[in-house]
Amino acid sequence: MALPREYTGQACSIVRALEIVGERWTLLIVRDAVFGVRRFSDFLEHLGTPRAVLTERLEFLVREEVMTRVPGPGKRSEYELTAKGLALWPVVRSLSAWGDEFYAPEGRRRVFVHASCGGEVTPAGACVTCGAQVPIAETVMTPGPGLPPPSPQDSPITAALAEPRPLLLPVH
């Protein structure tokens, strides 16, 4: 039985946020968009989301202005985060750090570093080397000790996301 999306009778900003990003796949879609995934087929391949669910979630995120559909190569459309969607980066970064701390026995899967100086970015977004608050556009994702190396069975998207890469740089 599907749970309702709305939390009627709740007057809370967290409730309003959960109505937008609280569904199971939504933050993973946002995470992948931050990592550079832009094509429907690439989201589908990397997340393993049922096609109908991914279609509904992307349409919802576009309606809510978290993502926008932009022209891609040929007749394809691609998805990118809007300013509203980019504002979720601190949430994704913090949730990733929380998961690493409590549920990553092999170590962090990804380490975020400041492109300018190479310093690690803390869960609060500060560079440990220079002390600057690091914007998403100056953040590089690198593999951490808990990220297994890509295997031949992995998709090209999974393999690309296992390499050091600036955030938001399109995978293709």
Side-chain angles (χ1 to χ4, degrees):
M1 180 168 150
L3 297 173
R5 179 174 286 145
E6 294 81 27
Y7 297 86
T8 55
Q10 297 276 332
C12 172
S13 294
I14 292 174
V15 166
R16 298 287 82 81
L18 285 174
E19 289 176 343
I20 305 305
V21 298
E23 189 274 334
R24 176 180 177 165
W25 295 104
T26 303
L27 281 176
L28 296 177
I29 292 168
V30 170
R31 176 208 62 191
D32 275 11
V34 166
F35 291 176
V37 177
R38 295 177 56 143
R39 295 179 181 171
F40 181 91
S41 59
D42 292 340
F43 283 111
L44 193 65
E45 182 179 321
H46 188 247
L47 294 172
T49 312
R51 181 177 289 274
V53 171
L54 181 60
T55 298
E56 190 277 328
R57 294 315 307 157
L58 287 168
E59 288 174 359
F60 178 75
L61 290 169
V62 168
R63 275 194 316 274
E64 290 297 325
E65 300 177 348
V66 172
M67 297 184 87
T68 187
R69 190 175 285 127
V70 297
K75 296 182 186 231
R76 289 183 169 186
S77 290
E78 294 185 341
Y79 296 89
E80 62 183 39
L81 294 166
T82 63
K84 192 178 193 180
L86 290 170
L88 287 167
W89 168 234
V91 175
V92 172
R93 185 182 58 229
S94 294
L95 195 55
S96 177
W98 184 83
D100 284 343
E101 183 173 345
F102 296 104
Y103 298 101
E106 303 299 320
R108 297 179 294 168
R109 294 179 55 85
R110 292 185 170 86
V111 177
F112 302 105
V113 298
H114 189 189
S116 298
C117 71
E120 210 172 293
V121 178
T122 68
C127 175
V128 298
T129 300
C130 71
Q133 198 63 28
V134 182
I136 190 171
E138 293 179 26
T139 305
V140 174
M141 175 178 68
T142 63
L147 185 66
S151 73
Q153 300 91 302
D154 285 337
S155 73
I157 301 304
T158 299
L161 297 181
E163 297 295 322
R165 58 182 293 106
L167 296 183
L168 304 176
L169 177 70
V171 173
H172 292 287

